[in-house]
Amino acid sequence: MLAGKLVRLRAPQRADIPIFVKWFNDTETTRFLLRPPPMGMEEEESWYDSLVSKDTKVFCIETLEGRLIGNVGIIHLDWANRNADIGVIIGEKECWSKGYGTEAITLLLGYMFDELNLERVWLYCDMENLRAQRCYERCGFRKEGVFRHHRLQAGRFRDDVVMSILKQEWVERKAH
Amino acid sequence: MRSLRHAKAMLRSERVGLRPLETQDVYSLLKWFNDQRVLEDLGAEHISFCVSLEDEKVILERMLRDVHAQWFIIIKLDDLEPIGIAGLTNMDERNASAEVRIIVGEVKEWGKGLGEEAALLVLGYGFDSRGLHRIWLRVAEYNERAIHLYKKCGFVEEGRSRHDHYHKGRWRDALRMSILDTEWRSG
């Protein structure tokens, strides 16, 4: 468990699955999700089972009062090149724009740079998802490019913005 | 679930006992190994950050199946509550050596000398019941409480694994310590 001022990261548990399913079947929440919904209980359970004994961990974000509000996690870990990409969802809509996601990502970055000793953490998100991009910038990510027509969603090819933060940038941010 | 509350301690000292690790102990391990205060000083080799119940079950199953290890749950003798895990691992029968690990996972029980009692029980088990000649361990250089405890138990520093693991943004060393059966018996 890793705690900040607003949220903490904890291991997911089987009892959380119905809450994940609720998030992943809400059209507003999934508007910018990179994986197309809907998602059923069984699909979510098999995803949950696939996480066992993996380096690519998913963490639940909960408020310090213990309310589960979202997930953040490592998607692929490339040890040889010491980089990894991450994903995040704040599933509880009334928790949007309160800084929870920013702090959860910052906690995860601390783990990835200071404990796993990675060189680069990256992600991509829908070019139109400006709220997410602002959040990632606040965490120290920089835009580095665009994957043009990278995803087909709702009948339209979408552009994705690629963002990353390097170890050195993380160290400098911490020093300030 | 079968309750382990009444499980008898196989090895006892004044306040703590050791009983064999069981599958049902997974909930204790889950609690301890999700407590940042417990993880903090272990040194990254052992850190599996934010383990789920399913992760912990797999880890425990491997520990129980490992023929080169003997794990115990440390319990308090007054209420039989589990407070930590201890054991011998990497057991090398040819050379009569093993690595010892001791973790008091219940933070409220820290600072009472219970870990030291447990350590002495494990050492007694290793030397007197398993016929070991040498018991060694690895401890993070910044884990001063543990180093102090091991020295009190008779371990001597025998080396330093330089840049053993990465922690809090930099490489940290781990100490190697050991105790021989002759030292145990004369101590």
Side-chain angles (χ1 to χ4, degrees), chain B residues 4 19-30 32 60 73 82:
Chain B
L4 294 172
R19 63 158 173 77
L21 177 67
E22 304 270 8
T23 302
Q24 293 93 323
D25 292 313
V26 69
Y27 298 97
S28 298
L29 298 184
L30 185 70
W32 301 333
L60 177 56
I73 287 290

Side-chain angles (χ1 to χ4, degrees), chain B:
Chain B
M1 192 183 86
R2 185 162 62 94
S3 170
L4 294 172
R5 277 188 55 90
H6 304 293
K8 283 262 170 58
M10 188 183 126
L11 299 162
R12 300 157 161 266
S13 62
E14 193 193 331
R15 290 173 298 165
V16 305
L18 302 181
R19 63 158 173 77
L21 177 67
E22 304 270 8
T23 302
Q24 293 93 323
D25 292 313
V26 69
Y27 298 97
S28 298
L29 298 184
L30 185 70
K31 178 186 171 201
W32 301 333
F33 291 112
N34 276 295
D35 188 330
Q36 200 58 30
R37 296 166 296 180
V38 177
L39 296 178
E40 190 55 38
D41 289 334
L42 292 184
E45 188 187 308
H46 303 299
I47 291 186
S48 196
F49 180 65
C50 276
V51 284
S52 70
L53 178 64
E54 286 72 21
D55 284 324
E56 195 63 60
K57 278 181 177 164
V58 171
I59 295 167
L60 177 56
E61 201 181 302
R62 270 192 217 127
M63 290 167 76
L64 289 171
R65 239 187 304 171
D66 184 353
V67 294
H68 299 291
Q70 176 66 56
W71 293 102
F72 300 103
I73 287 290
I74 309 168
I75 60 174
K76 280 191 297 165
L77 290 178
D78 54 6
D79 56 9
L80 302 180
E81 285 298 324
I83 60 164
I85 181 164
L88 297 171
T89 181
N90 287 318
M91 288 177 65
D92 175 349
E93 296 191 326
R94 161 80 173 74
N95 296 304
S97 80
E99 178 184 357
V100 63
R101 291 191 191 158
I102 293 147
I103 296 156
V104 177
E106 288 297 333
V107 175
K108 65 180 191 303
E109 305 296 342
W110 285 3
K112 299 178 182 172
L114 300 180
E116 185 184 345
E117 275 189 39
L120 293 173
L121 283 175
V122 181
L123 290 176
Y125 171 78
F127 288 123
D128 301 333
S129 299
R130 301 295 293 246
L132 293 177
H133 172 60
R134 163 189 156 79
I135 295 179
W136 60 278
L137 60 84
R138 164 189 172 278
V139 58
E141 60 174 339
Y142 45 86
N143 192 350
E144 286 162 14
R145 278 183 319 125
I147 294 167
H148 177 70
L149 182 159
Y150 296 137
K151 281 183 179 158
K152 267 173 82 181
C153 293
F155 280 87
V156 294
E157 190 179 325
E158 61 180 14
R160 179 175 277 264
S161 299
R162 298 180 306 152
H163 289 204
D164 175 82
H165 60 277
Y166 202 80
H167 181 55
K168 292 199 169 168
R170 62 193 175 111
W171 289 107
R172 302 306 301 261
D173 296 350
L175 303 184
R176 296 284 178 149
M177 303 177 82
S178 69
I179 177 170
L180 304 178
D181 57 351
T182 45
E183 293 159 349
W184 170 253
R185 298 214 160 90
S186 68

Side-chain angles (χ1 to χ4, degrees), chain A residues 85-114:
Chain A
D85 59 339
I86 65 167
V88 61
I89 178 172
I90 301 295
E92 299 296 334
K93 283 183 277 191
E94 69 274 22
C95 295
W96 288 355
S97 305
K98 294 207 160 99
Y100 293 139
T102 304
E103 193 182 63
I105 292 165
T106 304
L107 288 171
L108 181 64
L109 288 176
Y111 174 64
M112 296 173 82
F113 285 121
D114 295 339

